[in-house]
Amino acid sequence: MIKSIIRNLPKWINNYGIVSDVIISSRIRIARNIDNIKFPTSASIDEKKLIIDKILDAFKKSNLISEFNLTGYNLLDLNDLERNALVELHMLSPLFIKDPYYKYFFIDDDGEISIMINEEDHLRIQCLKEGFSIKDVITFIYKIVDKLEDYLDFSYRNDFGYITTCPTNLGTGLRISILCHLPFLNYSGKIRDIISDSSKFSISFKGSFGEGSNPVSSLYQISNSTTLGKSEEDILNTILRFGNEIIRIEREERKNIMDKNRSEILDKIGRSVGVIKYSNKIDLDEANEILSWLRVGAIEKLLNVPVNLINQLIFKIRPNLMKIEFNTTIDEEIDKLRSDYLKTTLGGLI
Amino acid sequence: MLCDICKKREATIYVTEVINSEKKNLYICNICISKLGIKGILKELNIPYDENILKKFLEMMPGMVEEEKKEKSCPVCNLKFVDFEKSGYLGCPNCYETFKDELKPILLNLQGNFKHIGKKKGEKFTLDTSLESEIKRLKRELEYAIEEERYEDAAKIRDKINKLIKDDKINN
Ligand SMILES: [Zn+2]
Ligand SMILES: [Zn+2]
């Protein structure tokens, strides 16, 4: 199951969602801990085993496994490539795979749900869906979390709410995030003002690959920066409001720039097509930039490429997924294979 | 919670003081503290200065936790407060009881708040989609729009609210 999700990608990448021209996907993550047991960051081996036992027991009793088509894995059962590929697919966290011992996780058949045991908290439950669908996702994810609460004694205090290892997740334990493609706000530089403004709405903005202000891919992860002192619904509304605003201004900027600077954009798209057709090696940064412009071309119908296919490629070209696709472990081969892969996949379409 | 002095920035320091036998919560941001100093803050708020309140302020300032407090440890997991300051991780659920006073200013800084108002343990999460709550939600959006001087959005939201109310009357 896990191998086929890695090869064929999870549903939320393959499907094109509502307003996916701007918001590619929605993710919600909830942190919970069992009362009276040390957090995974300071637990002993026996305590970590106990945490896994208690949670697996709750899953069995609650019927969640069959209800949500979950499959459980010991992280040690996966090889290093597979672990890293799941991080590239946002299904596991980098922290979770850093030390693979006494880690357990569940994934559903569609690759939308992932539940990590012994990450930073005892339990991290997350759900991903395509498009701007956080209202659906939040209702969906609480079905799992609230059901688990019937079988596990979650640590909770009246003053601080749900207890978490790090105080940044305290209270609701709820993190809602949306993955946005903002090529025009990135191109005009207006994104900088939006990012510097966002903190006053308790919003955090991250270049999707974590390397600062102008990611070459124009992909940004937007999420709530606070979890305490607000209700779950307030947090949802904050992201709903901000998401809608982002959609509006990115589309407005797209229209403006396509009216005024059309030839500049056509040039960017044309050059990207050229690199795919005639280059022999493409590194990850270059591929990200190229795919970002091809996505613009696809959305503006300047290219006869489905936007979906570009979404898939944005993930497929990541190093570990490439290695799995081509059954290699040699780093030096990846840039060449990536170039070949883009040529074959997009050949005939561009 | 906004700072009592500038009323603009989120407070990072929280002090409880009894003034004229009345309990009063003071919320101050670190910019006002560094501008006015503790004496200046107290003067601004008409609070008499004494050693006791000065001590309370110092206890609340992040990074100014006294040495003996840093060595304080959780009886359940043995984590010292200084370990938390280094890693950002607490050791066990009981740490929140052990360090609750030390954590409050930190929470205020990180979260702008230290009181949970979300779903309680045992409650099921429901997204209220009733008309009443939809209107409540829109009214809150309207407030935000006006606060942020987005008057065009505000007008649209107001129209939406009026339409919902009108439709409801027709349906009933
Ligand atoms: Zn202030
Ligand atoms: Zn402890």
Side-chain angles (χ1 to χ4, degrees), chain B residues 74 77 92 95:
Chain B
C74 171
C77 72
C92 77
C95 285

Side-chain angles (χ1 to χ4, degrees), chain A residues 209-318:
Chain A
F209 303 106
E211 77 266 36
S213 59
N214 270 38
V216 284
S217 64
S218 296
L219 288 177
Y220 294 89
Q221 194 97 47
I222 298 173
S223 59
N224 57 304
S225 57
T226 59
T227 55
L228 182 68
K230 295 178 178 71
S231 72
E232 290 80 2
E233 205 164 325
D234 283 338
I235 295 171
L236 177 79
N237 284 330
T238 304
I239 304 292
L240 273 177
R241 228 156 35 87
F242 201 83
N244 279 318
E245 186 63 9
I246 281 288
I247 293 166
R248 192 182 63 75
I249 53 183
E250 169 67 16
R251 284 178 178 169
E252 197 177 273
E253 196 70 351
R254 184 197 301 158
K255 195 178 171 306
N256 273 341
I257 294 174
M258 288 312 287
D259 283 350
K260 293 192 192 105
N261 283 346
R262 191 178 179 83
S263 68
E264 289 281 322
I265 302 300
L266 291 181
D267 183 64
K268 295 274 188 199
I269 298 170
R271 280 169 188 276
S272 302
V273 170
V275 171
I276 291 180
K277 279 191 172 160
Y278 302 111
S279 73
N280 194 37
K281 275 181 163 185
I282 303 178
D283 70 19
L284 184 63
D285 276 354
E286 192 177 21
N288 279 327
E289 188 170 3
I290 286 170
L291 288 172
S292 179
W293 286 115
L294 292 187
R295 200 170 188 275
V296 169
I299 285 165
E300 282 291 294
K301 306 233 165 16
L302 298 163
L303 296 173
N304 194 20
V305 181
V307 184
N308 256 29
L309 177 59
I310 308 284
N311 291 353
Q312 293 167 332
L313 291 174
I314 287 172
F315 290 90
K316 269 286 188 186
I317 52 141
R318 297 181 178 183

Side-chain angles (χ1 to χ4, degrees), chain A residues 104-172:
Chain A
Y104 200 92
F105 66 100
F106 287 100
I107 288 200
D108 71 323
D109 293 351
D110 293 328
E112 288 181 338
I113 305 167
S114 80
I115 296 161
M116 286 173 265
I117 305 175
N118 285 336
E119 206 249 19
E120 185 181 296
D121 295 291
H122 294 159
L123 253 176
R124 286 280 178 104
I125 300 137
Q126 75 156 30
C127 179
L128 277 148
K129 282 188 197 289
E130 64 272 14
F132 194 25
S133 47
I134 55 178
K135 256 185 174 172
D136 294 339
V137 180
I138 200 168
T139 317
F140 185 79
I141 196 166
Y142 272 104
K143 275 188 199 149
I144 303 175
V145 177
D146 285 345
K147 188 131 188 208
L148 276 172
E149 195 166 271
D150 295 338
Y151 297 89
L152 286 168
D153 184 19
F154 287 149
S155 181
Y156 178 91
R157 290 171 59 103
N158 285 329
D159 51 357
F160 297 147
Y162 287 98
I163 294 304
T164 54
T165 308
C166 179
T168 50
N169 299 310
L170 197 63
T172 55

Side-chain angles (χ1 to χ4, degrees), chain B residues 26-128:
Chain B
L26 309 176
Y27 300 97
I28 315 290
C29 76
N30 49 13
I31 297 188
C32 287
I33 280 267
S34 62
K35 255 198 230 157
L36 301 171
I38 295 169
K39 279 188 186 177
I41 297 271
L42 293 173
K43 207 176 151 201
E44 197 81 11
L45 296 170
N46 278 323
I47 296 168
Y49 172 84
D50 63 41
E51 283 294 315
N52 196 17
I53 191 155
L54 178 70
K55 204 168 161 241
K56 276 190 187 167
F57 262 94
L58 287 176
E59 278 172 6
M60 272 297 172
M61 311 229 317
M64 296 188 77
V65 178
E66 293 151 59
E67 284 310 310
E68 70 251 39
K69 268 199 176 164
K70 285 184 190 274
E71 289 304 311
K72 184 174 169 183
S73 67
C74 171
V76 174
C77 72
N78 296 322
L79 181 108
K80 287 179 184 168
F81 192 71
V82 62
D83 300 331
F84 161 70
E85 283 186 320
K86 274 183 210 145
S87 71
Y89 293 140
L90 288 149
C92 77
N94 188 67
C95 285
Y96 282 91
E97 180 58 32
T98 312
F99 303 117
K100 65 179 176 213
D101 293 331
E102 290 81 0
L103 281 169
K104 277 181 184 174
I106 291 169
L107 288 174
L108 209 45
N109 204 2
L110 284 172
Q111 302 266 12
N113 210 312
F114 50 73
K115 181 86 194 85
H116 175 62
I117 59 161
K119 180 181 99 68
K120 293 189 178 71
K121 188 179 175 181
E123 277 177 11
K124 302 281 176 211
F125 173 82
T126 47
L127 198 57
D128 194 348

